[in-house]
Each structure stands twice: as C-alpha cells, then as structure tokens.
C-alpha cells in the first residue's frame, strides 16, 4: 500500500514587503510544509501592490501555491503604509504582472482551517485584518486553528511606527485586539528580538550560485537603504523570516508566556502591545513570546534552504 507522508498544513498571511518575501521563500523552499495558500492583506502597501508582489515571489519560486487577496483596509482606522520597503512595497524587484484580486482570503482561511481542524498553523506577517475578519465570520475558528505565528508588537523596545507601537499592530489595532483576546494559540515575535538580528549583505552574498541570488541581492540592497533611514542598523531586519523560521526549527527559540493586550483607545498609545511585566500578582498569559533566537542557526539554515 502507498503511504503518504503528510506535511503540516500552513497558510501565509502576508503584505509583501521585503522581509515577507524572504519569509515566503524560506517556508516554500524548505519543503517542510503543505503551503495551502498565500493570503494577502493591505499593510506595507495597498492590496493591489502586495498581491502583485506575492505573485512575483511565487513566480521566482516557480510555485503554484494559490494566492487569495484579502482585506483592502483596516477594520476601523484610516489605512497606514510603510516607508522602508520603497515604492510598490518591494523596491529592487522587477514587478511586471498585475494579479487579479479575488477578495477570497477570509473565506479561504475559514475553509482551509475547517477542512484541517487543529492542524493548520497560520504565519501572520502583516496586519491582522484578515484573521480578525475570519474570526468574526466564524467564531469557532480560534479553537480549531493549530496556532498563529505572528510578527508583531513590542515588549520593551520602542515602536517602529510611532513611539510605542509596532507596524503590523499599529496598522490595525482593532483587528489585533480581536485576535489577541480570542482563544487562539499565539506565538509572537516582537520587535525586541528582531531588532538585534539584522542580516548583512555579506551574508546574502553566500547565496551566490543560486537562481534566487540576483533578485534577493537587488531587493535586500533596496531594503537596507530604506531601513538605514529609519533604524540604527546597516542590515536587513528579518522580522518576518525570523518568525517563519520558528516553524522550521523551534529548537532555536526561547519563549516566555505573557499576558499581552492591544491598546485601542489611547491618545498616545494606540496600537501598543501592553504587557503585564509585574513579577507579582495573578496573570492570565495568552501569548508565548519569543525572547531569543539562535542567530547562527537562522542564518545558516536560511542560506542552506534558499540555496537548495
Ligand atoms: C513588520 O512591519 C512590516 O514593515 C514588516 O514586513 C514586518 O512584518 C515589522 O514591524
Ligand atoms: Ca510584513
């Protein structure tokens, strides 16, 4: 009898973005997952651009993973866009195709999770609008998603969009609040860790010989230029691939359970992730927060997987 080795199903919910592109490449090239869908969400740039960018990345990978476009704006607030990724959200990439928007992301997230209860990990590397919409439409969903692996928020580090908020959460705080207050299991990669783990151009040079070398060097050169204007580093901040890598090699991670809430009413703190860091009193931890990642393993595996 033929035996099939079933790979763990995942969905990548994303707003590409340079670091999103690296996360998508890492997950697909690893061949460790059954990538059921790329769902796009307005975030780094508008929905048409992020969806075109997702198509560009999948074409580079010669991948037939379906793309479902998602929410075009946040639940309540005015849309925000990012500055570090340049025009179109993926400066340095040769985007030539306009991907037709199908607005199917929310329905497809629900379908995929319903068809694979307790099995699907969702890699959430954009604003949480699609996920919140799916939870509103299907309130049982948080209980049957295996886990959300989220790039978002900050514990002690300053914000990267305003003084206290991280970009993905700031883009749609109301959506993030729905997600964090739900029963879903969350693994969170906050800025605190990602800020200290840039990858440098010399490290991307190790991809020489790979088909992806040229496009990656071109994208990362532009990303680093964008980052230099706003952050104190000369490297590419690998926010999204760092959380994606958790699924590839969880042993490289240290996690601490924390109680995390999203501020939606503050005049100065809108979009802040408020963490109860008191050492006393009762806590209701709702999130496993990544507190450290083995950088060497990440960089070595990233290079190995992309070259493979
Ligand atoms: C997050 O913001 C976006 O610009 C990146 O793609 C990442 O998901 C980091 O704060
Ligand atoms: Ca992103």
């Amino acid at each position: 009898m033929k035996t099939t080795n079933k790979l763990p199903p995942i969905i990548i919910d994303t707003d590409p973005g340079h670091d999103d592109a690296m996360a998508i490449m890492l997950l697909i090239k690893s061949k460790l997952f059954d990538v059921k869908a790329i769902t796009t969400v307005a975030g780094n740039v508008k929905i048409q651009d992020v969806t075109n960018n997702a198509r560009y990345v999948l074409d580079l990978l010669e991948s037939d993973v379906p793309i479902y476009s998602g929410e075009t704006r946040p639940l309540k607030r005015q849309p925000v866009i990012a500055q570090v990724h340049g025009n179109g959200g993926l400066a340095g990439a040769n985007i030539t195709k306009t991907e037709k928007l199908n607005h199917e992301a929310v329905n497809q997230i629900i379908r995929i999770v319903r068809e694979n209860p307790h099995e699907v990990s969702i890699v959430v590397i954009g604003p949480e609008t699609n996920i919140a919409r799916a939870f509103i439409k299907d309130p049982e969903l948080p209980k049957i998603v295996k886990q959300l692996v989220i790039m978002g928020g900050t514990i002690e580090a300053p914000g990267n969009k305003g003084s206290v908020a991280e970009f993905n959460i700031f883009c749609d705080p109301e959506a993030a609040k729905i997600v964090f207050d739900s029963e879903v299991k969350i693994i969170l990669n906050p800025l605190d860790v990602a800020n200290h783990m840039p990858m440098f151009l010399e490290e991307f040079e190790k991809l020489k010989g790979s088909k992806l070398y040229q496009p990656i060097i071109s994208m990362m050169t532009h990303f680093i230029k964008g980052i230099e204007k706003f952050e104190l580093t000369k490297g590419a901040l690998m926010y999204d691939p760092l959380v994606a890598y958790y699924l590839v090699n969880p042993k490289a991670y240290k996690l601490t359970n924390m109680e995390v809430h999203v501020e939606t009413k503050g005049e100065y703190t809108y979009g802040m992730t408020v963490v109860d860091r008191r050492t006393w009193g009762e806590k209701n931890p709702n999130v496993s927060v990544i507190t450290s990642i083995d950088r060497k393993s990440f960089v070595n595996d990233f290079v190995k997987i992309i070259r493979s």
Side-chain angles (χ1 to χ4, degrees), residues 58-117:
L58 290 192
D59 283 353
L60 282 180
L61 295 168
E62 297 174 36
S63 163
D64 57 4
V65 170
I67 297 175
Y68 302 113
S69 71
E71 296 299 297
T72 57
R73 49 161 301 126
L75 296 189
K76 286 196 178 149
R77 69 159 307 148
Q78 287 302 313
V80 185
I81 58 165
Q83 290 165 300
V84 293
H85 303 277
N87 282 345
L90 207 53
N94 183 21
I95 310 292
T96 52
K97 288 189 190 163
T98 303
E99 180 77 0
K100 194 167 167 4
L101 302 181
N102 53 31
H103 305 288
E104 268 294 310
V106 171
N107 289 338
Q108 294 296 332
I109 289 170
I110 294 172
R111 176 190 63 79
I112 294 164
V113 173
R114 284 267 164 206
E115 285 176 5
N116 304 273

Side-chain angles (χ1 to χ4, degrees), residues 23 46 105 141 188 250 275:
K46 290 185 177 170
L141 215 65
L188 187 72
V275 183

Side-chain angles (χ1 to χ4, degrees), residues 113-134:
V113 173
R114 284 267 164 206
E115 285 176 5
N116 304 273
H118 308 287
E119 286 185 31
V120 182
S121 297
I122 310 181
V123 182
V124 185
I125 51 179
E128 275 140 71
T129 324
N130 287 342
I131 309 299
R133 285 269 179 225

Side-chain angles (χ1 to χ4, degrees), residues 19 44 80-85 151-171 189-192 194-195 223 226-227 229-232 237-240 270-273:
D19 55 330
N44 279 322
V80 185
I81 58 165
Q83 290 165 300
V84 293
H85 303 277
M151 169 62 224
T154 155
I155 307 302
E156 294 183 47
N160 64 351
K161 195 75 189 176
S163 56
V164 292
E166 180 277 332
F167 181 80
N168 287 341
I169 309 282
F170 187 78
C171 279
N189 186 32
L191 289 180
D192 307 60
N195 278 347
F223 188 36
I227 282 187
K229 289 191 208 143
F230 300 97
E231 305 280 348
L232 297 170
L237 287 169
M238 299 291 272
Y239 308 107
D240 295 343
Y270 188 47
M272 179 180 180
T273 38

Side-chain angles (χ1 to χ4, degrees), residues 15-16 40-53 71-72 79-81 88-89 101:
D15 62 338
T40 58
V41 63
N44 279 322
V45 279
K46 290 185 177 170
I47 194 70
Q48 185 65 65
D49 283 321
V50 294
T51 310
N52 297 346
N53 296 348
E71 296 299 297
T72 57
V80 185
I81 58 165
L101 302 181

